[in-house]
Amino acid sequence: MRILIAALLGLFLALPAWAETVAEIATSEAASLAKPSRQTIGPVIDRLAASGDPMAAQVLQAWGDKRLGARKSDGAVFILTPDAAGFALTDMTGAPAGTASAADITEFKPNAGVRGLISAALVQFTLSDPDPARRAEALTSIAQDPNAESLTPLRASIETETDPALKTQKQRLERLLTIRFDPLSEARILAIQGFGADTGLDLRAALSPLVATTLKVGATAQGNVARTLRPGREITEGQAYDLLVTAGEAPARLTLEDQKKALAAHIANGMVGGVKVADLTTQEARDRAYTALETSGAVPLAATADEVTAAVGAVTVYETYAEPDAQVTAAALTALTRIDRAVGALTTVDLAMDGISLAAIYFLAAIGLAITFGVMRVINMAHGEFITMGAYTGFVVQTLIPDKTVSLVVAFPLAFAVTFAAGVAMERLVIRHLMKRPLETLLATFGISIALQQIFKNIFGTQARPLTSPDWLGGALVFNDVVSISYIRIAIVVLAALFLGFFLYMMKRTRLGLEVRAVTQNPMMAASMGINPDRINMLTFGLGSGIAGIAGVAIGLYAKVTSELGADYIVQSFMTVVVGGVGNIFGALAGAGMIGTLQKAIEFLNPSNTLAAQTYMILFIILFIQVRPRGIIALKGRAAGD
């Protein structure tokens, strides 16, 4: 029995401090709650926060929202909810306690300073809330509106945090708040250094205010000086004097027009300011006369040119950092310099990824042209319309099949089939009759291009049609704040790689590829070996058109699908083929890589003018062709010989 009593006594003694309930605190401190101040209410908030009572956070929130009050008859404290009768009452245990009229309640209305203390106390509750989602919301709230009051409760919550991800997030946010609000310079410097190789936008946002500068002027440079400026070099004399005027240390500058008007208004007996009017032919004489008028009080004070020069020469113009501690500024500058170098390298990586994705698009659009010209020596001006035809095929499929993934699975082979058939029909009806007549072929395919554009407008209208990607292709693969690439572009790069592999397999491992290579190298010898060049030409043209249709579906996933879609890519397709080497698949790949990366680099250097970027790119290609007229990888065989 004694052992049991001793155990119960020990358990009682071990009970935590939250044996003091919120109801008890509210009752004993009702007067302080009713008329709080920052000096007297701090201990009350600390008692509520330390009570451990589940109602503490709710009571603090109600107090901060001015929804706390006391009943006049007995002084009991309640949470107030306005209703028709006045207020619905909730006691300090969270239980309903009836209603009361507004006249029977004394409302507690804390001022802004007290509400700040309450908000800081609430942060401590939410940062230690049992629900991880609530803790995450608290961190987001602090990050969006950082303040010095959040730093202490945030630090206190780190040790008790059980979620590793949230703990890492808290530690990062604690360092960011330390940089901005900790009173100790040593702690701020350690926080800056603790970020290591981090390049986050939030870190840059915390560091940038520390190195912000303000332009000042004075007898000597004071404060945390960033640099001194020499009038006439880093800053004009006029700008330096304007700083003196703004600081109230000098009168405004005198303009020549105002000076002439003032002198003319004070001419008396052929004199003005003790200077003969006839002598006012030089600026020095006019300044002397105006200075005399200033001395006599006849004109307002204003600085003449020589006075401006003298005033500026007697002061120091300098920039000071917003951060008064030079050691903190030095640490911030070191970190920002490291970040700038890292961001520059990451930007280069991001630019390269964009260039590769754009090169994949151009390669898909140009591969059909490369195949067609390599075998048939035909320049197909309607190639862009086959791209458009493939995109519209994808649109039609999506209108019939709502599931976006299934519709894509159907659209790609169907687009290939439709454009393959259209290419074969075009070759049979037009191209084969114009073989070895390049000018007529060029004009005929150009006419077909215009006709197809009009047909598309008649069928689908002039408005852009949506070709929607599946949800799993939405968004982007984000590596950090600088480097990211959309999943659609990744898919297009993969598609381009698959087609390159397919084409190489077909050319190296199949009978059709063998026959195509034979006709490309020497059609007469191929015919003598039993190969039908006419059939190979038909299949090659159909294959090039079919690949253009697949490219149209891929391009339509992120570009607007209109009747001019192909026209937007035909120029780049021709440039890709010409730069890479006409009729060569590896040349098309090399040309697409060069044009894609070059275009992205030019757009990066001149982002506000895409038309100028395209102009520069075309000029570069013209110069490149002067050096390598046959492209990066020259074609061998019939096309090369011709």
Side-chain angles (χ1 to χ4, degrees):
M1 187 65 177
R2 291 180 179 177
I3 296 176
L4 179 59
I5 293 174
L8 290 174
L9 180 60
L11 181 61
F12 176 78
L13 293 175
L15 285 174
W18 56 261
E20 183 182 33
T21 65
V22 167
E24 294 170 345
I25 298 171
T27 301
S28 62
E29 298 289 350
S32 298
L33 293 173
K35 295 182 178 180
S37 68
R38 290 182 64 91
Q39 290 74 25
T40 61
I41 206 61
V44 179
I45 293 178
D46 291 340
R47 286 174 63 189
L48 287 170
S51 67
D53 192 320
M55 283 296 295
Q58 188 174 347
V59 170
L60 283 171
Q61 185 67 60
W63 190 19
D65 295 339
K66 301 180 181 180
R67 294 186 296 106
L68 203 64
R71 191 162 51 198
K72 293 180 180 179
S73 60
D74 57 3
V77 180
F78 300 96
I79 297 174
L80 309 177
T81 304
D83 68 359
F87 295 107
L89 307 180
T90 303
D91 66 19
M92 297 294 96
T93 66
T99 61
S101 65
D104 295 333
I105 297 295
T106 300
E107 297 180 64
F108 300 164
K109 297 181 178 181
N111 59 31
V114 173
R115 289 199 302 273
L117 293 175
I118 294 171
S119 298
L122 282 171
V123 167
Q124 179 177 342
F125 279 99
T126 52
L127 286 173
S128 302
D129 194 281
D131 185 358
R134 291 285 306 278
R135 301 201 298 274
E137 289 176 5
L139 290 177
T140 302
S141 177
I142 294 173
Q144 291 175 346
D145 185 20
N147 55 73
E149 288 78 11
S150 300
L151 183 54
T152 299
L154 177 61
R155 285 173 174 167
S157 70
I158 292 176
E159 293 299 324
T160 58
E161 180 57 61
T162 56
D163 188 311
L166 285 178
K167 187 169 186 176
T168 301
Q169 192 175 347
K170 285 183 177 182
Q171 290 171 335
R172 177 183 179 83
L173 186 55
E174 185 272 335
R175 289 198 298 270
L176 290 172
L177 295 185
T178 298
I179 292 173
R180 298 183 62 174
F181 303 114
D182 197 292
L184 298 178
S185 298
E186 295 79 3
R188 300 171 70 191
I189 293 171
L190 288 175
I192 294 172
Q193 295 171 345
F195 277 97
D198 197 307
T199 60
L201 288 173
D202 52 356
L203 174 59
R204 282 176 267 172
L207 293 175
S208 294
L210 302 181
V211 298
T213 57
T214 302
L215 195 59
K216 294 183 179 180
V217 62
T220 58
Q222 297 179 353
N224 187 6
V225 179
R227 62 168 181 158
T228 57
L229 292 83
R230 292 169 293 179
R233 296 189 179 182
E234 293 89 358
I235 187 173
T236 66
E237 185 179 82
Q239 290 172 329
Y241 190 80
D242 288 342
L243 291 173
L244 282 171
V245 175
T246 302
E249 300 294 331
R253 282 185 290 170
L254 178 66
T255 65
L256 293 177
E257 184 67 24
D258 290 341
Q259 186 183 47
K260 289 179 180 179
K261 290 180 180 179
L263 294 177
H266 291 82
I267 297 175
N269 300 322
M271 303 282 287
V272 55
V275 180
K276 294 181 180 180
V277 173
D279 295 335
L280 296 177
T281 56
T282 64
Q283 185 61 43
E284 186 274 333
R286 291 191 290 269
D287 289 346
R288 190 170 67 253
Y290 191 89
T291 301
L293 292 175
E294 282 181 326
T295 304
S296 65
V299 295
L301 291 177
T304 59
D306 57 338
E307 291 173 338
V308 168
T309 301
V312 170
V315 297
T316 301
V317 183
Y318 60 98
E319 287 181 344
T320 60
Y321 290 113
E323 167 57 44
D325 193 307
Q327 292 182 332
V328 174
T329 303
L333 287 172
T334 301
L336 285 171
T337 301
R338 172 190 56 76
I339 289 173
D340 288 342
R341 287 197 297 264
V343 169
L346 292 174
T347 301
T348 302
V349 173
D350 186 63
L351 196 63
M353 292 174 63
D354 284 346
I356 291 172
S357 65
L358 186 62
I361 295 170
Y362 289 163
F363 176 70
L364 280 176
I367 186 173
L369 279 178
I371 296 171
T372 302
F373 193 91
V375 176
M376 303 175 63
R377 198 164 55 89
V378 170
I379 299 176
N380 180 17
M381 294 297 294
H383 183 77
E385 279 53 57
F386 288 117
I387 295 175
T388 307
M389 190 181 299
Y392 275 126
T393 301
F395 165 71
V396 172
V397 170
Q398 283 201 342
T399 60
L400 300 175
I401 303 176
D403 188 288
K404 299 299 183 289
T405 302
V406 176
S407 66
L408 278 186
V409 173
V410 175
F412 277 115
L414 185 60
F416 179 85
V418 169
T419 51
F420 179 89
V424 169
M426 181 175 169
E427 195 277 336
R428 292 287 89 184
L429 296 175
V430 179
I431 302 300
R432 68 189 297 246
H433 301 294
L434 300 176
M435 292 293 292
K436 297 186 179 179
R437 294 156 63 185
L439 181 58
E440 287 86 343
T441 304
L442 191 68
L443 292 174
T445 56
F446 183 68
I448 293 172
S449 168
I450 296 174
L452 287 175
Q453 284 190 34
Q454 189 58 50
I455 291 172
F456 295 147
K457 289 179 182 178
N458 292 341
I459 297 175
F460 299 101
T462 57
Q463 289 185 334
R465 299 295 180 176
L467 188 55
T468 309
S469 61
D471 292 338
W472 54 271
L473 279 180
L477 178 62
V478 179
F479 296 95
N480 49 49
D481 292 333
V482 181
V483 182
S484 65
I485 183 171
S486 66
Y487 288 122
I488 290 180
R489 287 182 175 267
I490 294 174
I492 291 175
V493 172
V494 173
L495 185 64
L498 290 175
F499 262 99
L500 177 62
F502 164 76
F503 182 81
L504 293 177
Y505 176 81
M506 184 194 73
M507 295 297 291
K508 300 293 185 181
R509 300 291 183 181
T510 66
R511 180 177 178 83
L512 176 61
L514 178 63
E515 293 178 350
V516 168
R517 284 185 287 142
V519 172
T520 302
Q521 294 294 325
N522 194 323
M524 295 183 63
M525 182 62 71
S528 68
M529 298 297 293
I531 298 173
N532 186 350
D534 189 54
R535 171 178 167 273
I536 295 301
N537 288 340
M538 178 189 70
L539 293 176
T540 301
F541 200 88
L543 179 63
S545 303
I547 294 175
I550 291 179
V553 177
I555 292 171
L557 289 175
Y558 73 92
K560 59 181 181 178
V561 180
T562 66
S563 58
E564 287 84 18
L565 174 65
D568 294 339
Y569 287 89
I570 189 65
V571 175
Q572 286 89 341
S573 298
F574 277 116
M575 287 193 300
T576 297
V577 173
V578 171
V579 169
V582 177
N584 190 304
I585 187 65
F586 286 108
L589 182 62
M594 174 181 286
I595 292 174
T597 53
L598 178 64
Q599 180 172 333
K600 282 299 178 181
I602 295 175
E603 289 177 358
F604 175 77
L605 296 174
N606 189 15
S608 61
N609 194 337
T610 55
L611 181 60
Q614 292 180 0
T615 302
Y616 294 145
M617 184 176 66
I618 292 173
L619 290 175
F620 174 83
I621 290 171
I622 292 173
L623 294 175
F624 178 81
I625 292 175
Q626 302 303 311
V627 178
R628 291 188 66 88
R630 296 176 64 184
I632 299 173
I633 302 177
L635 180 68
K636 298 178 181 179
R638 177 177 62 174
D642 294 337

